[in-house]
Amino acid sequence: DATTAATTLGLAASRCNHLDDCKPVNNGKQILATSSYHWCVLLDVETQQILFHTTSSSNAHSAEILPDDRIVVACSEGTGSTNNVLQLYNIASPNVIVDQVPLTSAHGVVWNEANQRLYAIGEQSLQVYGLKNWDTATPSLELEKTIQTPQNGLHDMTLVNSNTLCIAGKRAYLYDIGADRFTEMTLFSSSTSIKSLNYN
């Protein structure tokens, strides 16, 4: 029940009753949950203890664990300075934005351990980031590549394996990282507003 996080977040329960995304992390022991009511939490499944939280993530639509106990949050559309961005946090420092990079209509983030790259989707682009100055007190996300996707209206992205991403929104696609190629999942060719999709 997300409203139980209200006290920790310092928000009214009515601002905690709307979830946009949840993602199991750390071998399913924890859950990253985001809300378009501008917050993100890292929750321990067994104890239900909140291990990290922020209320600075405007229109948060997705989050991901990064190496060295850091979290990235995708903040989607809006008119504020913390909209249309990816935000970087240290788990030990709730609400402190370490770095912020622009991404219009940011909706999904996935860390690929195999190639040490962060993938993010927004509007009609797939962006690839490296981790810069990661062993310092001022780490940042460095944009390395922008790839135009076959459709706009992107909503969700998941890691299928170390070389494949599943991207969904208006239709759905598998993206081959090595070949830099999208393959449509034809089962969803008539779908125009997929909110979440996982490929096993």
Side-chain angles (χ1 to χ4, degrees), residues 150-151 167 170-175 181-191:
Q151 299 286 338
I167 299 172
K170 189 180 291 182
R171 303 185 180 180
Y173 298 85
L174 294 176
Y175 175 68
R181 182 178 62 241
F182 290 94
T183 302
E184 184 171 359
M185 301 173 74
T186 55
L187 179 65
F188 306 102
S189 60
S190 62
S191 301

Side-chain angles (χ1 to χ4, degrees), residues 60-71:
H61 268 63
S62 183
E64 179 69 295
I65 292 280
L66 294 178
D68 298 331
D69 293 327
R70 293 184 173 124
I71 287 176

Side-chain angles (χ1 to χ4, degrees), residues 145-162:
K145 187 177 182 180
T146 298
I147 304 156
Q148 184 172 336
T149 57
Q151 299 286 338
N152 60 8
L154 302 176
H155 275 281
D156 192 34
M157 176 172 56
T158 53
L159 188 70
V160 177
N161 56 50
S162 61

Side-chain angles (χ1 to χ4, degrees), residues 88-161:
L88 181 64
Y89 294 88
N90 287 313
I91 291 177
S93 303
N95 272 325
V96 179
I97 302 170
V98 177
D99 186 37
Q100 186 169 277
V101 295
L103 177 56
T104 302
S105 191
H107 264 74
V109 281
V110 166
W111 171 248
N112 189 340
E113 182 69 25
N115 65 5
Q116 296 287 292
R117 292 297 180 271
L118 178 71
Y119 294 83
I121 52 169
E123 205 166 48
Q124 195 171 349
S125 70
L126 168 62
Q127 296 194 339
V128 186
Y129 297 86
L131 308 182
K132 186 178 179 181
N133 299 322
W134 209 248
D135 57 350
T136 73
T138 56
S140 61
L141 302 173
E142 183 174 42
L143 180 62
E144 296 181 345
K145 187 177 182 180
T146 298
I147 304 156
Q148 184 172 336
T149 57
Q151 299 286 338
N152 60 8
L154 302 176
H155 275 281
D156 192 34
M157 176 172 56
T158 53
L159 188 70
V160 177
N161 56 50

